[in-house]
Every structure is written in structure tokens, then in C-alpha cells.
Amino acid sequence: MHGQLQRAREAANDLAQLIDLDDAVAGAPVVQSDDAADRGTPSETPPLVIADALERVRRRWTSAASGRGMALAVHMSPDIPPVLAIDRVPLTRIFANLMRNALCYAQRGTIHLSLDFDQAEGLLLTVRDEGDGFPAERLSDPACAGQRSETATFRSPEGQGLGLAICHALVAEAGGRIELANAPEGGAEIRVSLPARPVDIGSTMPDAPLPDLSGWNVLVADDSETSRALLEQFLSALGAQVTGLSNGGTAAVQLLTERFDLAVLDIEMPGLRGTEVIAAIRRSGLPWADLPIIQCSGHRGAQMGGADACLLKPMLGLQPILRALEDAGCTTTVPRVTTPPRGLLAHLRLTEKALPEGLGRELIADLETVRHGLSLALPPFDLCALQLLSHKLSAVAGAAGDTPLSRQARALDSATRHGTYEDIQTLGRVALIFIDRLIATTRNNLNTKTDLQHETQ
């Protein structure tokens, strides 16, 4: 299956190259934003989290390089602003063409991919391989389509010599530049600069109306440390006094013995399910039995039960949280005295942004818990445990902004309900690989921040 998907992807890339080249020859824009076409006005360049884009490139091309007996080394300068205003569509196509060229024509050694940033030139992208380098005629005319050396044709007879021509057209359309060279240490080197500017998400995105929860006593119960920490930070920043719990049974006891103004309860928790906790407090007859309750669920069709609102997990953006608070009646006209941290709002407003600093350790703890659980549940085929773990993994990956892992978790969750034993085993093993990668990336980011803090001190 993996091989078939890879061949389909290669065929799609070839077709896209031909379409791009045809547009370039005809004088049409190589890439145009659909949004811009709908508006009829020049599009504002959308923000792009560079680390996320680079991670997607690494994940996609590492396996392709490994399949050819090669390796991929990725380096991102610490000076790059975390978010840049740059069109991701041509950037993705440039990445793809340069990587395919390096794989086809070098066919040995390591491909070195580097990113840097310059205030004047923008994003600087360099791809160097350890092959034979460029022939002299190619260095003199990088834009020529179909120009291939004898060595290149021998090594990759299926190629059409379009990759560099497409890159040249894409870069020119974006207002950048591309240079070809033979590296002193051997191999071909391609340097690309693309116009880009740093973006401060926290300051440029319009403020959403935020409720004032000053003086509210709020209970958050979720066995995902990442989701719970995210909600705790956000609600606390709105002025609430937040109690965080991870067990449904403990949450029920707390709600029945202490008055709360709002409860946010996950549906799937150890001890008692969220629906059971809601039923217990609603029938208790206590003065606060009708308090606003928001239930969190990873399933769109989840029954509301006695809850006032439903927050779908993973929490993708700020609006779903605000909508759930509004549906639960958590609105007030009292002026707010607190403002959520800019980093937290940036994360909630830009769903592809990595977790803000301070939530990395909770993310690692959640991932390690899920990894351990999957390792124990897969061999004996514990279906109930696998359903709970895939549900939790989907929420954690979504909060972290890891789209591939989110998709893998949803696929595993679906397989536990409708798939075969083989489907579940395969999807589970792949999920474990994705989990290990995200843990390693998060740990590396935490270590880097710690090192930088020590250097600053």
C-alpha cells in the first residue's frame, strides 16, 4: 500500500510540473491563491509557521531518501523568525522539485537542506547533495526546461528535466532569485531566496471578544495533560480560579462537595465518564446543580446529555472555545482586568502554530502515556483500551498542531470501530512512530530553549 501511494504521489508531482510549466510558458501566474481570485484583489500573504513547514518536508522526504539508500539532513538557523508572511503554495512546490532533483541525480550520500533568514532577501533556502554536481551548461542556464546531462539521463531515465525550470519560474513569480553552483566539498548546490517578512501573530491578529470570568470558580476535568493545561491557562487568564483534575470520579466528588460556577468535563476519563459526572451533579438537588457545563468530546455526534455546550476536540483555534463559553452562558459586561498571554492567544488563533512555551512538558507526558498504553494494548488486541487511547491521541496531537499524527489517530480510532485486526495493528504501529517523532521534536525544542536561556543569563 505504501509503495502504491508513493507511486501515485510521484505521478501527481509529474502532472503538476507539466501544468506549472505550461502556465509559465503561457505567461500566466504560476500560482494564484483561490482566496485572492474570489476577492478580486491582491491577496495578503498568509502567515506560515516555518518550523511546521520544515517538519512536513522532513517527514515526507526522509523516507524517500531512505528508500534510495540516502539520508536527509535538515538545519534551521535559530535566527529565523518563527512565523513568516510567505506564500506556502510556491514554497511547497519549490521544496518538492529541489528534493526530487537531488534524489534523482545524486543517488548517494546525504542531502543537506538548510533554512536561514535575511532582513533584505527574506527566506534563504539551500539544498546541497553529494553527487557529481552540475555540468557547466546547466550552470549557465538554470531556466532551460528539458536540459539534462548524460549522467543525469543515465541515472534517472524517467526524468523530464523540468524540476529546475519549474523552480526558476516559481521563484521568479514570487520575486526571488535562484542560483546554481557546485559546492567546494563536491555535489550540486542550489540557493533560493524568497521575499518574506516576520509576523507577530499576537499583535497582528484582531482581538476576539473575550468573556470576563473574574471571580468564577471553574472545574476542568480531562485526563489529557495537554488539553487540561491549555484550558487551565486560558480560563485563568480570563480571571477564573481553576481547579484541574484528571479523573472523572474525583471530579464528581469535587462537584458534589464544592460550589463551582462552571465545569468543563471530558467525556472519556478514567473513574467516571463525563456524562456520568454530569448526570450525578444534575440530579443531586444541590443549589449549584444547574451550573453551566461544557462537555469535551472527540466525536461530532456525541450526545449533549445534561451539558449546556460541547467543545469538539482537538481544540482547533480560539473560536470553538469562545463559542462553547457563549453557548454555556459564560458572558458578562464587566470590564476584563486580565488579558490572556500573547503566546497562548497566538497558539489558539493560529492552529498550525506549535504549543506555546510552558506546555511542552505536558505534551511529552501525554504522548508517553499514550505510547505506553498502545504498546500494551496492541499485542493482546485490547479494543476498549485502543478506542480510549486513539481518542486521547487525537486530542493531544490536535492541541500540538501535529496534523499527520492527528490524521493517524483519527484513522486508528475509526479502525477500532470498523476496521480489521490487521488494520488496527498497522495503524497502531505507525502511530507509535509518529508519537516518537513528536516526542523527540518537543524535547529538542525544550532543550534548545533551556540552552538559550542559560546563554542569556
Side-chain angles (χ1 to χ4, degrees):
M1 188 191 309
H2 178 77
Q4 290 174 343
L5 289 173
Q6 187 64 31
R7 286 191 289 273
R9 173 179 282 170
E10 294 297 326
N13 281 336
D14 290 339
L15 179 60
Q17 283 185 325
L18 291 171
I19 293 172
D20 283 347
L21 183 64
D22 183 63
D23 287 342
V25 171
V30 177
V31 177
Q32 182 179 8
S33 166
D34 292 336
D35 294 338
D38 293 339
R39 292 192 300 267
T41 59
S43 63
E44 289 197 14
T45 308
L48 176 65
V49 181
I50 295 301
D52 292 350
L54 193 58
E55 177 64 12
R56 286 193 289 270
V57 171
R58 187 189 68 79
R59 287 185 176 179
R60 174 178 176 183
W61 294 102
T62 295
S63 59
S66 177
R68 293 175 181 255
M70 302 173 66
L72 174 62
V74 177
H75 173 72
M76 183 172 70
S77 169
D79 298 329
I80 294 183
V83 184
L84 290 176
I86 187 170
D87 195 335
R88 72 184 65 204
V89 178
L91 179 62
T92 301
R93 302 224 43 109
I94 291 169
F95 271 132
N97 281 287
L98 293 182
M99 293 304 301
R100 291 183 76 239
N101 264 30
L103 288 175
C104 286
Y105 301 142
Q107 294 200 338
R108 66 175 184 267
T110 300
I111 299 172
H112 302 268
L113 171 61
S114 302
L115 285 185
D116 207 337
F117 181 78
D118 181 84
Q119 289 290 346
E121 295 189 88
L123 182 65
L124 306 178
L125 163 65
T126 303
V127 175
R128 179 177 63 82
D129 61 49
E130 297 177 357
D132 297 327
F134 290 111
E137 63 272 15
R138 191 52 161 163
L139 291 174
S140 62
D141 189 7
C144 181
Q147 187 181 86
R148 310 180 76 221
S149 67
E150 292 184 11
T151 303
T153 303
F154 174 76
R155 288 188 170 179
S156 183
E158 74 278 7
Q160 304 298 318
L162 300 178
L164 284 179
I166 294 300
C167 283
H168 191 277
L170 289 166
V171 172
E173 180 69 21
R177 62 179 178 82
I178 183 170
E179 297 178 352
L180 308 186
N182 287 322
E185 58 269 42
E189 183 174 276
I190 304 174
R191 296 185 290 268
V192 174
S193 67
L194 294 170
R197 57 180 176 80
V199 176
D200 184 349
I201 296 297
S203 62
T204 59
M205 286 197 170
D207 287 335
L210 300 176
D212 188 314
L213 302 184
S214 301
W216 285 47
N217 193 18
V218 178
L219 177 79
V220 175
D222 195 321
D223 61 330
S224 164
E225 293 193 32
T226 306
S227 298
R228 189 173 68 249
L230 196 64
L231 286 168
E232 285 182 21
Q233 285 195 22
F234 183 65
L235 294 171
S236 296
L238 295 180
Q241 181 70 34
V242 183
T243 300
L245 300 172
S246 60
N247 184 281
T250 307
V253 171
Q254 194 84 7
L255 282 169
L256 293 172
T257 56
E258 182 180 349
R259 185 181 191 115
F260 284 90
D261 303 296
L262 169 67
V264 184
L265 306 174
D266 189 22
I267 292 297
E268 302 292 345
M269 289 186 290
L272 288 176
R273 300 182 77 247
T275 50
E276 296 173 315
V277 178
I278 295 172
I281 185 63
R282 291 300 193 218
R283 64 171 179 257
S284 67
L286 292 167
W288 59 88
D290 60 347
L291 83 162
I293 298 178
I294 300 173
Q295 71 177 26
C296 301
S297 174
H299 304 291
R300 293 184 179 275
Q303 296 296 322
M304 287 290 291
D308 300 284
C310 182
L311 178 58
L312 194 64
K313 297 171 69 176
M315 294 174 283
L316 300 178
L318 181 63
Q319 287 304 320
I321 301 178
L322 295 177
R323 192 178 305 115
L325 288 170
E326 182 179 358
D327 292 343
C330 305
T331 56
T332 176
T333 57
V334 178
R336 271 190 300 112
V337 296
T338 57
T339 301
R342 180 189 298 179
L344 181 62
L345 286 183
H347 168 69
L348 292 171
R349 287 179 175 145
L350 184 65
T351 59
E352 291 187 2
K353 183 177 172 59
L355 280 171
E357 187 175 358
L359 293 180
R361 290 178 179 81
E362 286 83 356
L363 173 61
I364 292 175
D366 270 337
L367 291 171
E368 289 180 336
T369 299
V370 174
R371 180 178 62 182
H372 179 68
L374 281 178
S375 300
L376 295 178
L378 280 172
F381 197 61
D382 186 341
L383 196 58
C384 181
L386 289 169
Q387 289 175 349
L388 292 174
L389 289 165
S390 60
H391 173 83
K392 181 173 182 177
L393 181 59
S394 177
V396 173
D402 191 325
T403 304
L405 182 54
S406 295
R407 291 172 179 167
Q408 191 68 26
R410 290 195 296 270
L412 178 59
D413 181 64
S414 177
T416 60
R417 290 168 171 76
H418 313 292
T420 65
Y421 172 84
E422 290 77 11
D423 292 336
I424 295 171
Q425 290 292 321
T426 300
L427 290 168
R429 287 194 295 270
V430 174
L432 287 172
I433 295 173
F434 282 177
I435 290 172
D436 286 337
R437 288 179 178 177
L438 183 53
I439 289 175
T441 301
T442 307
R443 278 183 176 153
N444 182 60
N445 289 341
L446 287 175
N447 292 336
T448 301
K449 288 176 182 176
T450 301
D451 292 342
L452 290 175
Q453 288 168 356
H454 286 321
E455 289 175 8
T456 302
Q457 294 171 356

